[in-house]
């Protein structure tokens, strides 16, 4: 009887750890803190990728055309659509539920050292640094 109980405990522990690991996945669609964009995060290579899949304001009010990456200093890239725009580069695992690499900020056309951490089943912390100055925001899982 004791061995059956021990086996039950081991099976339950495995079940809960599997659910916990799934809950801590960065995969999915995330709403930015300001609520103005949704970013789809998925596994790619050994790390994660993220790209914009929705904008609150998908049209450029000045031109009446779909929003583009107009702040990008590279003229060829400044014409690409904001929908589908890749935000992460080189995001590789740097700890449990954490990735480090670079993030592109379309608001200023710059790329920053960054980390992404899953802080809960529906919470993602995105941080970026320029030298010693760092900032970040918390994104929430969309569509649950």
């Amino acid at each position: 009887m004791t061995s059956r109980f021990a086996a039950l405990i081991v099976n339950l522990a495995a079940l809960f750890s599997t659910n916990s690991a799934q809950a801590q996945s960065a995969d999915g669609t995330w709403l930015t803190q300001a609520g103005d964009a949704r970013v789809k995060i998925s596994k790619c290579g050994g790390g994660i990728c993220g790209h914009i899949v929705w904008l609150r304001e998908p049209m450029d009010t000045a031109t009446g055309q779909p929003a583009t990456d107009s702040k990008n200093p590279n003229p060829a890239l400044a014409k690409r659509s904001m929908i589908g725009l890749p935000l992460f580069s080189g995001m590789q695992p740097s700890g449990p539920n954490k990735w480090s690499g670079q993030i592109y900020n379309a608001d200023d056309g710059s790329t920053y050292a960054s980390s992404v951490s899953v802080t809960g089943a529906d919470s993602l912390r995105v941080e970026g640094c320029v030298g010693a100055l760092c900032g970040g925001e918390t994104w929430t899982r969309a569509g649950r």
Side-chain angles (χ1 to χ4, degrees), residues 9-10 18 21-22 36 45 47-48 50 59 64 70 72 79 90 97 100 108 112 122 130 144:
I9 296 298
V10 168
T18 299
Q22 289 173 346
D36 56 358
I48 58 172
M59 303 302 276
S70 61
N72 195 304
K79 295 178 182 176
N97 304 313
S100 294
D108 66 9
Y112 300 96
D122 295 324
V130 176
R144 271 204 178 186

Side-chain angles (χ1 to χ4, degrees), residues 53-92:
V53 295
W54 174 87
L55 293 171
R56 181 187 306 144
E57 297 179 21
M59 303 302 276
D60 182 333
T61 55
T63 66
Q65 299 295 314
T68 61
D69 187 18
S70 61
K71 302 253 173 43
N72 195 304
N74 179 334
L77 295 179
K79 295 178 182 176
R80 64 185 172 172
S81 175
M82 290 294 288
I83 302 295
L85 185 76
L87 296 182
F88 301 153
S89 58
M91 281 288 177
Q92 295 297 313

